């Protein structure tokens, strides 16, 4: 179950990790990671798991693969195996919330009259992390990206939800031209294109619907299926 929780939370944890990096840097100083690890450990009721980070490898900073390895060995492995499916689902959301707190401080939202409220932005964060893929290079550096197919899926749902006219996709064709999206680009497009073109309240309603479909329904079904297997 511990490995499953890490698997479910990996993309959001990467977002939190990335928020701690300096510009154009793929590593995070151990001093910053120590606080992050401590916060995750507190959520998992495993206090003190950050204490070994200074002795982990000889470098003063870690890339994401190294950080993930530490989390696997020292943090998530200490979890109780008696936790229920509902307990794990709650922990997953709390980890997402922690990582969102770090992530939102790094996002530079455009100056606009229509900026997403925090609840809707958090829902987009969870949607993105659920659908996106973590891509690694040969050096162990990683990035979480939304593929063209997933971008098309989400944006089409928004277009149909706010307009009820499939033909409007042609007006937004440029949105589907990029092969991949990172989270900041994903949010910026929604803010700049959809919130300015349509009523913000309607866009937020559609985000709620997508969230309920993808995050609430899919994650709940997966956890239930895993409980049946166990």
């Amino acid at each position: 179950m511990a490995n499953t929780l890490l698997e479910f939370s990996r993309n959001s944890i990467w977002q939190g990790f990335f928020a701690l990096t300096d510009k154009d840097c793929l590593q995070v100083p151990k001093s910053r990671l120590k606080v992050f690890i401590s916060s995750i450990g507190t959520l998992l009721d495993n206090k003190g798991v950050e204490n070994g980070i200074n002795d982990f490898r000889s470098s003063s900073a870690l890339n994401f693969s190294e950080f993930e390895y530490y989390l696997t060995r020292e943090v998530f492995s200490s979890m109780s195996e008696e936790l229920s499916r509902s307990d794990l689902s709650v922990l997953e959301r709390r980890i997402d919330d922690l990582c969102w707190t770090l992530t939102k401080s790094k996002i530079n939202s455009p100056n606009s009259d229509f900026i997403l409220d925090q609840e809707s932005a958090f829902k987009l964060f969870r949607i993105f992390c659920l659908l996106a893929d973590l891509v690694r290079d040969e050096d162990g550096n990683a990035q979480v990206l939304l593929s063209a197919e997933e971008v098309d899926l989400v944006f089409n749902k928004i277009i149909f939800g706010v307009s009820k006219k499939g033909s409007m996709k042609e007006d937004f064709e440029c949105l589907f031209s990029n092969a991949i999206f990172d989270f900041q680009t994903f949010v910026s497009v929604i803010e700049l294109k959809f919130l300015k073109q349509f009523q913000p309240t309607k866009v937020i309603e559609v985000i709620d619907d997508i969230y309920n479909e993808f995050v609430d329904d899919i994650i709940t079904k997966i956890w239930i299926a895993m409980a049946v297997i166990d």
Side-chain angles (χ1 to χ4, degrees), residues 68-169:
E68 183 183 8
Y69 181 81
Y70 183 89
L71 290 179
T72 302
R73 290 286 301 270
E74 304 296 335
V75 182
F76 284 83
S77 63
S78 302
M79 288 176 55
S80 169
E81 292 297 328
E82 303 302 319
L83 291 172
S84 66
R85 176 194 62 80
S86 60
D87 291 333
L88 290 168
S89 182
V90 169
L91 287 174
E92 180 197 359
R93 183 185 173 90
R94 288 177 179 172
I95 292 172
D96 283 354
D97 190 43
L98 168 65
C99 296
W100 167 242
T101 299
L102 294 171
T103 300
K104 67 182 179 182
S105 66
K106 186 144 186 170
I107 295 177
N108 297 317
S109 297
N111 293 324
S112 169
D113 293 332
F114 304 124
I115 297 299
L116 282 167
D117 61 277
Q118 290 300 305
E119 181 180 359
S120 297
F122 177 57
K123 288 180 177 180
L124 283 178
F125 176 79
R126 297 197 79 199
I127 292 168
F128 182 92
C129 291
L130 175 66
L131 298 178
D133 297 312
L134 189 140
V135 181
R136 304 177 193 269
D137 64 22
E138 59 185 13
D139 296 321
N141 300 309
Q143 190 172 7
V144 173
L145 300 168
L146 201 61
S147 69
E149 292 79 7
E150 304 295 357
V151 169
D152 184 86
L153 174 65
V154 175
F155 287 168
N156 267 318
K157 284 185 175 292
I158 295 178
I159 290 171
F160 276 87
V162 297
S163 70
K164 305 299 181 185
K165 297 178 182 178
S167 60
M168 288 201 68
K169 180 179 177 180

Side-chain angles (χ1 to χ4, degrees), residues 157-196:
K157 284 185 175 292
I158 295 178
I159 290 171
F160 276 87
V162 297
S163 70
K164 305 299 181 185
K165 297 178 182 178
S167 60
M168 288 201 68
K169 180 179 177 180
E170 296 178 0
D171 299 330
F172 293 86
E173 199 65 40
C174 62
L175 300 182
F176 306 95
S177 60
N178 288 340
I180 53 177
F181 275 53
D182 60 20
F183 179 65
Q184 184 164 351
T185 303
F186 178 68
V187 173
S188 295
V189 167
I190 290 173
E191 288 188 333
L192 290 171
K193 297 295 184 180
F194 294 111
L195 285 175
K196 285 190 173 182

Side-chain angles (χ1 to χ4, degrees), residues 1-2 4 81-85 88 222-230:
M1 281 298 187
T4 302
E81 292 297 328
E82 303 302 319
L83 291 172
S84 66
R85 176 194 62 80
L88 290 168
I222 291 175
W223 281 120
I224 290 175
M226 291 181 57
V228 171
I229 294 174
D230 291 340

